[in-house]
């Protein structure tokens, strides 16, 4: 063993490697991405790792490998599990041979996601055991125990860290590389009564799963992950139940010498019922401090009902904890004070002082923006200019380019989920055939779930323009490779899948590729293509500016600048600012993309050299 | 010994490396350390923060409001944004170089640097202001602002770590070709 300062996601990866994982597949998504990247960086030669094209593919690759007896892991974010839910729901019935851990990172807040869904609830729905770590060290230990449990019971097991665990760092003891387990897989053994799902098998396996989960709930009652900590000091017949990162907020808000009984739940499903009974014993009231769904709260209410206990269970369902959003040290502190000392809190609220914020000066807002020189800005701008005042709808998708919604571009009218932009545009077209419908989709999203939308729209005779914003990487999550890049996570250089060839193979007659930073050409291309009937595509191809080295930067001739500020008002580039009524360029940020040079009506900007 | 520190700034300013250096310096000293970072979408020009908790007795990687001993701000408006986290009598080390967001030039709330610095001077008794522009000019790079601020923080007396600990961390984490620049930045006063 040795000590390392690790991010939660790194600890999960190293724990999986220490447990002898052989196959790891995932799709990038904040806050889960670093798990798979850390596996790739630290793996031994017998470990296979891939970025799959989406989470469904990842789940199925891992399931196949687990059928063949290998320990396997899937990594994704919570909304990624929605994409992978079809294989997971059935896999729960079929089961696995090699241990299989599905790491699903939840994102309370949400900080960088579309939803605040709770994977603990998803685990209940698909009847798969779930571990819920409260910190880096526990995540490291849990992933290893999850593999053991999975293999012993022949079921996939979910590990669901949340953002603060994924991206928290801690110095923890980890196994040396030579102590990592190496489990040679048995290989796939043909047995159609086991691996082929039919209704007859499902009904048998469903009964088995229900029985297993009940037994597992008893077994997990003895697990150290489900701890009851006795009250200290003046025992008040009150208890607090919590989980994950919220448990650490609870601890930071309690006085070690005088605190109520605590229940930390590390395996919310199957629920450790016997341990819960030990916790509830003799308590009048319990506060459940949870993030996302009231999973523990509902389970405790259920236990009270089942065993006829009179303990009052409080939490989200009683309004003591906010029903949505991320918990914080202070929100938890306030809830605990209200629970333990209601009179004190009421008094304090009455003499509340003006808060810090009420006297502070106005602060600028900093929403995330497209980087200086980002080719997406140029693509959006070209479409905007080409379409002028015509009736249009711009359907966006998931990626950096969702930021094209911000002013001054204002070019994203809809965004729903991965790949949805194309099919949403199709739906709008069928209601409003006179609207020019555009769907913007990134290269990685195109492969993830954009292709099916194009096929659907083409087959069903829609009229819309697909704009593929191809920057040759998965930029938003930190530049992962995908089929169009010709690189794999195993370090191979392979044949890239051509987006243009895919679109042509579907049957699209018009597929044009243009560099968005060549503004006039890009505008002309949009005007020409948008006029074509049916489904047609423009591939805006220019590399992500974070990966490309800037050549020469643009400067503004202050004498020539007439202060019209068209570059500022129309582009919203973070490198351009206003100084004494004229535009100026921050050389630290400029990448020389030349878009502003092409927009300036008097040619006052020059010197850039685009990639 | 315990020290709760918040680093804040704008995505791309180097707050993450600074928090890694603090953590490494704490480990040199044998202190337990936990940190939390903003990662993801907010990095693209957004407000970013790192929480760094040194010493025994903390469970969460995040610091509660009104509990930070020290705020190291890479940008004045971001210092004000995080000021609610500072405890009574805590210290703020701030770089006075403003980063004006696009939103302030296209109709969003304006950036009033004088009001912001005035507010900090009025509210924070232990305020250390670092002339970022001068530091960048003298050192020849804006990239080492993070280490300039760590040096100022260690000399402010509010950090449970000495310059020596940070120097050891820099030698361990910073690539050879940037080492000399960062060591000069640490000593910049």
């Amino acid at each position: 063993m040795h000590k390392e300062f690790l991010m939660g996601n790194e600890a999960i990866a190293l724990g999986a490697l220490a447990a002898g994982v052989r196959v790891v597949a995932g799709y990038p998504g904040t806050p889960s991405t670093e798990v798979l990247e850390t596996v790739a960086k630290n793996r031994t030669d017998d470990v296979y790792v891939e970025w799959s094209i989406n989470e469904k593919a990842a789940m199925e690759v891992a399931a196949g490998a687990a059928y063949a007896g290998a320990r396997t892991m899937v990594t994704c974010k919570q909304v990624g599990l929605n994409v992978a839910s079809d294989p997971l729901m059935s896999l729960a019935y079929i089961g696995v041979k090699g241990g299989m851990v599905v790491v699903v990172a939840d994102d309370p807040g949400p900080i960088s996601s579309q939803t605040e869904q709770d994977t603990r609830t998803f685990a209940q729905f698909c009847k798969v055991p779930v571990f819920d770590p409260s910190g880096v060290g526990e995540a490291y230990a849990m992933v290893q125990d999850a593999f053991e449990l999975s293999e012993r019971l022949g079921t996939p097991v979910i590990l669901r860290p949340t953002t603060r665990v994924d991206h928290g760092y801690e110095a923890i003891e980890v196994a040396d590389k030579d102590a990592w387990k190496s489990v040679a897989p048995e290989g796939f053994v043909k047995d159609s009564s086991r691996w082929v799902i039919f209704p007859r098998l499902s009904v048998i396996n469903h009964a088995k799963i229900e029985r297993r989960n009940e037994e597992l709930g008893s077994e997990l009652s003895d697990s150290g992950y489900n701890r009851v900590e006795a009250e200290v000091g003046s025992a008040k017949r009150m208890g607090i139940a919590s989980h994950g990162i919220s448990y650490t907020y609870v601890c930071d808000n309690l006085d070690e010498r005088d605190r109520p009984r605590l229940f930390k739940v590390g395996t919310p499903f199957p629920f450790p019922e016997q341990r819960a009974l030990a916790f509830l014993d003799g308590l009048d009231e319990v506060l459940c401090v949870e993030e996302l769904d009231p999973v523990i709260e509902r389970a405790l209410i259920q236990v009270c009902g089942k065993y006829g206990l009179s303990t009052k269970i409080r939490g989200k369902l009683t309004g003591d904890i906010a029903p949505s959003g991320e918990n914080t040290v202070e929100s938890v502190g306030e809830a605990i004070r209200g629970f333990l000392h209601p009179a004190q809190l009421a008094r304090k609220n009455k003499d509340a002082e003006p808060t810090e914020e009420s006297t502070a000066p106005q602060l600028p807002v900093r929403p995330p923006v497209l980087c200086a020189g980002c080719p997406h800005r140029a693509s959006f701008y070209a479409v905007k200019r080409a379409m002028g005042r015509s009736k249009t709808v711009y359907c966006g998708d998931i990626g950096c380019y969702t930021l094209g919604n911000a002013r001054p571009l204002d070019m994203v009218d809809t965004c729903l989920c991965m790949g949805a932009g194309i099919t949403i545009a199709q739906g709008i077209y069928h209601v409003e055939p006179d609207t020019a419908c555009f769907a913007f989709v990134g290269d990685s999203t195109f492969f993830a779930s954009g292709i099916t939308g194009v096929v659907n729209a083409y087959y069903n005779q829609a009229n819309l323009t697909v704009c593929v914003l191809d920057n040759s990487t998965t930029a938003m999550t930190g530049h992962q490779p995908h089929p169009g890049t010709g690189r794999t996570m195993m370090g191979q250089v392979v044949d890239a899948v051509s987006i243009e060839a895919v679109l042509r193979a579907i049957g699209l007659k018009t597929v044009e590729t243009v560099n968005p930073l060549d503004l006039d050409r890009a505008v002309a291309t949009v005007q020409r293509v948008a006029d074509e009937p049916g489904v047609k595509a423009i591939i805006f191809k220019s590399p992500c500016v974070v990966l490309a080295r800037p050549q020469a930067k643009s400067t503004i001739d202050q004498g020539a600048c007439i202060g019209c500020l068209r570059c500022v008002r129309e582009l919203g580039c973070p490198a351009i600012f206003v100084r004494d009524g004229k535009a100026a360029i921050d050389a630290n940020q400029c990448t020389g993309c030349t878009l502003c040079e092409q927009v300036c009506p008097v040619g006052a900007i020059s010197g850039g050299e685009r990639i | 010994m315990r020290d709760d520190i918040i680093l804040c700034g704008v995505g791309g300013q180097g707050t993450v490396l600074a928090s890694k250096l603090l953590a490494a310096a704490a480990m040199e000293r044998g202190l337990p350390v936990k940190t939390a970072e903003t990662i993801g979408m907010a990095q693209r020009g957004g407000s970013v923060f790192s929480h760094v908790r040194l010493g025994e007795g903390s469970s969460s990687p995040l610091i509660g409001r009104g509990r930070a001993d020290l705020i190291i701000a890479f940008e004045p408006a971001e210092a004000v944004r995080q000021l609610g986290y500072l405890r009574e009598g805590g210290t703020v080390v701030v770089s006075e170089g403003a980063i004006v967001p696009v939103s302030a030039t296209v109709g969003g709330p304006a950036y009033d640097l004088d009001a912001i610095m005035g507010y900090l001077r009025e509210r924070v008794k232990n305020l250390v202001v670092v002339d970022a522009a001068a530091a960048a000019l003298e050192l020849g790079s804006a990239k080492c602002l993070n280490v300039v601020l760590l040096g100022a923080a260690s000399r402010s007396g509010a950090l449970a770590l000495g310059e020596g600990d940070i120097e050891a961390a820099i030698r361990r984490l910073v690539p050879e070709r940037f080492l000399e620049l960062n060591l000069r930045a640490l000593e910049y006063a």
Side-chain angles (χ1 to χ4, degrees):
Chain A
M1 300 290 274
H2 65 281
K3 200 163 230 185
E4 271 190 63
F5 186 64
L6 293 174
M7 182 196 271
N9 282 342
E10 293 172 331
I12 291 167
L14 293 180
L17 287 167
V21 75
R22 282 290 178 112
V23 171
V24 181
Y27 187 77
T30 311
S32 72
T33 313
E34 298 84 0
V35 178
L36 192 140
E37 289 179 328
T38 305
V39 169
K41 212 179 331 173
N42 293 278
R43 69 183 177 86
T44 51
D45 288 343
D46 53 9
V47 177
Y48 171 79
V49 57
E50 72 168 40
W51 281 127
S52 308
I53 59 147
N54 63 27
E55 295 85 354
K56 174 173 150 66
M59 188 73 73
E60 291 155 353
V61 166
Y67 288 3
R71 288 198 164 183
T72 67
M73 183 162 74
V74 177
T75 75
C76 63
K77 65 185 297 178
Q78 86 286 38
V79 288
L81 186 60
N82 302 341
V83 177
S85 62
D86 197 7
L88 182 62
M89 293 303 291
S90 298
L91 188 64
Y93 277 48
I94 284 288
V96 292
K97 186 162 75 177
M100 176 164 167
V101 176
V102 182
V103 179
V104 185
D106 280 355
D107 184 22
I111 300 170
S112 36
S113 304
Q114 305 96 297
T115 70
E116 278 198 302
Q117 64 194 69
D118 191 326
T119 299
R120 297 177 302 161
T121 302
F122 207 112
Q124 293 176 327
F125 177 51
C126 65
K127 305 179 188 301
V128 164
V130 59
F131 286 74
D132 182 10
S134 62
V136 178
E138 198 172 50
Y140 180 74
M142 273 183 175
V143 69
Q144 299 178 66
D145 287 338
F147 273 109
E148 294 297 329
L149 186 75
S150 165
E151 208 158 274
R152 181 160 58 80
L153 300 179
T155 176
V157 171
I158 295 174
L159 177 75
R160 66 80 80 164
T162 56
T163 306
R164 301 303 179 189
V165 173
D166 291 303
H167 290 163
Y169 283 80
E170 216 174 305
I172 62 162
E173 289 283 334
V174 294
D176 300 327
K177 207 165 181 170
D178 55 16
W180 288 358
K181 254 191 204 133
S182 178
V183 193
E186 184 196 21
F188 181 71
V189 178
K190 290 192 183 199
D191 179 357
S192 63
S193 69
R194 180 174 180 187
W195 302 118
V196 181
I197 196 161
F198 270 115
R200 196 170 45 85
L201 180 64
S202 297
V203 74
I204 296 169
N205 285 359
H206 184 193
K208 283 186 192 164
I209 290 165
E210 296 295 348
R211 198 163 55 242
R212 177 205 70 208
N213 283 345
E214 200 183 325
E215 288 163 10
L216 185 56
S218 311
E219 181 190 320
L220 290 170
S221 282
D222 296 326
S223 160
Y225 297 131
N226 299 312
R227 272 198 318 272
V228 175
E229 295 170 44
E231 49 274 49
V232 182
S234 52
K236 278 191 195 129
R237 301 166 64 86
M238 294 175 108
I240 296 176
S242 191
H243 72 122
I245 200 73
S246 289
Y247 171 74
T248 70
Y249 302 160
V250 169
C251 293
D252 278 350
N253 275 295
L254 291 175
D255 179 350
E256 285 165 29
R257 291 150 305 173
D258 184 19
R259 58 157 179 77
R261 191 181 302 170
L262 297 179
F263 185 25
K264 179 195 161 293
V265 180
T267 65
F269 182 80
F271 193 68
E273 194 172 291
Q274 285 75 13
R275 187 61 66 101
L277 280 170
F279 165 68
L280 292 168
D281 184 39
L283 295 184
D284 293 334
E285 269 190 274
V286 167
L287 177 68
C288 298
V289 180
E290 292 185 81
E291 229 163 27
L292 305 180
D293 292 348
V295 171
I296 300 169
E297 188 178 348
R298 287 198 175 112
L300 288 178
I301 291 170
Q302 213 166 297
V303 170
C304 287
K306 184 171 170 185
Y307 293 89
L309 306 180
S310 61
T311 314
K312 183 173 165 57
I313 307 298
R314 292 167 57 178
K316 286 174 180 267
L317 301 174
T318 51
D320 291 278
I321 300 285
S324 61
E326 192 186 15
N327 287 337
T328 61
V329 179
E330 46 278 0
S331 74
V332 169
E334 198 170 318
I336 290 178
R337 280 192 300 279
F339 176 63
L340 297 177
H341 315 287
Q344 229 175 340
L345 191 76
R347 204 165 51 237
K348 197 183 155 210
N349 282 348
K350 225 177 92 197
D351 342 307
E353 283 175 32
T355 58
E356 189 84 34
E357 286 74 16
S358 63
T359 56
Q362 184 189 42
L363 293 177
V365 291
R366 297 191 197 277
V369 290
L370 292 171
C371 301
C374 175
H376 299 332
R377 176 179 291 105
S379 304
F380 284 127
Y381 186 71
V383 175
K384 188 174 190 171
R385 191 183 260 193
M387 297 314 292
R389 291 179 180 277
S390 6
K391 192 179 175 204
T392 53
V393 170
Y394 300 120
C395 297
D397 222 299
I398 308 282
C400 287
Y401 52 99
T402 317
L403 300 174
N405 78 316
R407 280 191 305 168
L409 290 172
D410 190 18
M411 282 293 285
V412 176
D413 295 324
T414 72
C415 178
L416 186 68
C417 65
M418 288 287 288
I422 297 158
T423 19
I424 294 275
Q426 189 198 334
I428 292 173
Y429 161 74
H430 290 304
V431 179
E432 285 181 41
D434 62 331
T435 301
C437 295
F438 286 80
F440 293 93
V441 61
D443 40 351
S444 188
T445 307
F446 177 79
F447 288 113
S449 50
I451 297 171
T452 45
V454 180
V455 176
N456 196 67
Y458 179 77
Y459 162 58
N460 288 301
Q461 307 300 302
N463 186 350
L464 57 88
T465 307
V466 177
C467 298
V468 183
L469 305 178
D470 181 2
N471 60 358
S472 304
T473 188
T474 317
M476 179 57 104
T477 45
H479 303 102
Q480 289 74 28
H482 62 64
T485 64
R487 286 176 294 114
T488 72
M489 258 335 233
M490 292 295 281
Q492 302 144 302
V493 175
V494 298
D495 286 342
V497 179
S498 157
I499 295 172
E500 185 171 339
V502 168
L503 290 167
R504 288 202 184 281
I506 290 169
L508 271 60
K509 307 292 177 295
T510 306
V511 181
E512 294 212 24
T513 300
V514 66
N515 181 349
L517 296 172
D518 185 348
L519 184 60
D520 288 342
R521 233 194 104 218
V523 172
T525 304
V526 176
Q527 282 165 340
R528 193 169 59 243
V529 172
D531 262 354
E532 301 276 334
V535 178
K536 52 271 175 186
I538 304 165
I539 302 169
F540 290 99
K541 198 167 173 59
S542 178
C544 173
V545 73
V546 175
L547 296 183
R549 205 170 275 276
Q551 307 292 311
K553 299 174 180 206
S554 303
T555 52
I556 300 182
D557 177 348
Q558 294 292 309
C561 176
I562 55 170
C564 70
L565 303 184
R566 185 169 171 190
C567 51
V568 174
R569 279 185 291 105
E570 296 195 359
L571 301 180
C573 173
I576 310 178
F577 61 99
V578 184
R579 191 169 50 200
D580 305 328
K582 292 188 174 185
I585 288 179
D586 175 359
N588 281 322
Q589 292 201 61
C590 177
T591 66
C593 78
T594 75
L595 184 62
C596 58
E597 297 182 18
Q598 298 170 72
V599 167
C600 179
V602 292
I605 315 177
S606 62
E609 200 176 306
R610 71 164 183 259
I611 305 141
Chain B
M1 182 167 37
R2 220 169 113 175
D3 212 356
D4 286 341
I5 306 151
I6 288 176
L7 298 110
C8 58
V10 177
Q13 276 195 299
T15 51
V16 173
L17 178 62
S19 91
K20 285 223 163 83
L21 287 172
L22 283 178
M27 286 175 75
E28 297 279 341
R29 275 249 174 145
L31 288 174
V33 57
K34 293 189 172 85
T35 72
E37 318 276 3
T38 328
I39 293 174
M41 195 187 233
Q43 279 177 295
R44 311 237 180 270
S47 301
V48 295
F49 63 80
S50 297
H51 288 203
V52 180
R53 310 196 71 184
L54 311 178
E56 304 282 351
S58 50
S59 295
S60 155
L62 289 163
I63 301 164
R65 290 183 81 82
R67 300 186 195 185
D69 301 292
L70 169 65
I71 292 176
I72 303 176
F74 289 50
E75 207 281 339
E78 296 314 307
V80 174
R81 213 186 296 281
Q82 300 294 328
L83 203 57
Y85 281 93
L86 195 68
R87 69 167 166 80
E88 196 82 23
T91 301
V92 174
V93 175
V94 60
S95 161
E96 63 181 342
I99 296 180
V100 181
V102 177
S103 67
T105 44
V106 292
Y111 193 122
D112 184 344
L113 181 61
D114 290 339
I116 283 169
M117 288 307 296
Y119 181 76
L120 284 173
R121 290 203 166 89
E122 178 198 314
R123 297 297 292 246
V124 185
K125 211 159 71 189
N126 305 317
L127 182 72
V128 178
V129 180
V130 175
D131 184 348
L137 197 68
E138 197 178 316
L139 294 161
S141 167
K143 298 253 182 243
C144 54
L145 174 68
N146 50 7
V147 175
V148 171
L149 289 167
L150 290 186
S154 76
R155 288 185 297 273
S156 76
L159 192 56
L161 301 163
E163 256 182 86
D165 301 314
I166 298 172
E167 188 186 320
I170 290 173
R171 287 186 187 280
R172 208 147 64 81
L173 292 185
V174 173
E176 182 70 42
R177 63 184 193 280
F178 300 122
L179 191 59
E180 198 260 318
L181 170 70
N182 279 285
L183 292 177
R184 276 196 295 133
L186 184 66
E187 284 159 17
Y188 178 88

